[in-house]
Amino acid sequence: MEQTRFEQGMEQLRKIDGMGGENVIKSLEDVAPDIGRYIVEFAFGEIYPRRELSLQEREIITITSLLTTGGCEAQLEVHINGSLNVGIAPGKIIETFIQCIPYTGFPKVLNAVFVAKKIFAERNIIPAK
């Protein structure tokens, strides 16, 4: 039996973001359930399963996009966790942020680094120096 976009999206969401992603979707149920469904069906049901990029590449792109946009710290928190969940090393996450300094500037990079620092502490991760 073929999975629906929603089922495929939830499978991807759990694989990448675990409970963090599910909590985001649940938090929308009482105010904007359609947005949660769009996230699951479109982003995780159609975009993430595409074969041209690995999950690691997709998460690097996602955390970079959120950093450069700015003001997305809550989503950045979910996707830094997702990056770790798909096997991206903490040092690679920080190096990705450093690469953004010349293009985005220190304030947005610092915001992202502080989100990463919080997550690393919560997960008892000590990034390599």
Side-chain angles (χ1 to χ4, degrees):
M1 186 168 135
E2 191 172 314
Q3 286 184 309
T4 66
R5 281 187 328 167
F6 187 84
E7 291 167 339
Q8 185 174 16
M10 285 303 294
E11 184 178 300
Q12 287 291 319
L13 180 67
R14 286 184 188 109
K15 185 186 308 181
I16 298 161
D17 295 327
M19 288 307 298
E22 287 190 53
N23 289 341
V24 170
I25 302 307
K26 286 179 183 173
S27 73
L28 295 167
E29 286 177 354
D30 63 341
V31 65
D34 287 343
I35 293 175
R37 185 172 46 82
Y38 298 151
I39 291 168
V40 171
E41 290 180 351
F42 179 65
F44 289 94
E46 288 190 27
I47 302 299
Y48 269 84
R50 294 174 57 87
R51 296 176 188 203
E52 291 75 15
L53 297 173
S54 69
L55 287 179
Q56 288 186 352
E57 291 168 323
R58 290 182 189 285
E59 283 302 299
I60 289 287
I61 291 165
T62 301
I63 63 174
T64 302
S65 297
L66 292 168
L67 178 155
T68 58
T69 300
C72 298
E73 286 76 15
Q75 293 79 20
L76 192 54
E77 186 172 335
V78 170
H79 284 282
I80 291 171
N81 272 303
S83 295
L84 294 166
N85 292 344
V86 299
I88 298 171
K92 192 167 195 171
I93 292 169
I94 298 301
E95 193 63 33
T96 299
F97 295 162
I98 291 169
Q99 179 63 32
C100 295
I101 292 169
Y103 306 100
T104 309
F106 282 101
K108 288 181 181 178
V109 170
L110 287 171
N111 289 345
V113 167
F114 289 130
V115 172
K117 180 179 179 178
K118 174 183 176 258
I119 292 164
F120 296 164
E122 289 171 355
R123 291 177 71 151
N124 295 316
I125 295 171
I126 299 170
K129 296 180 183 187

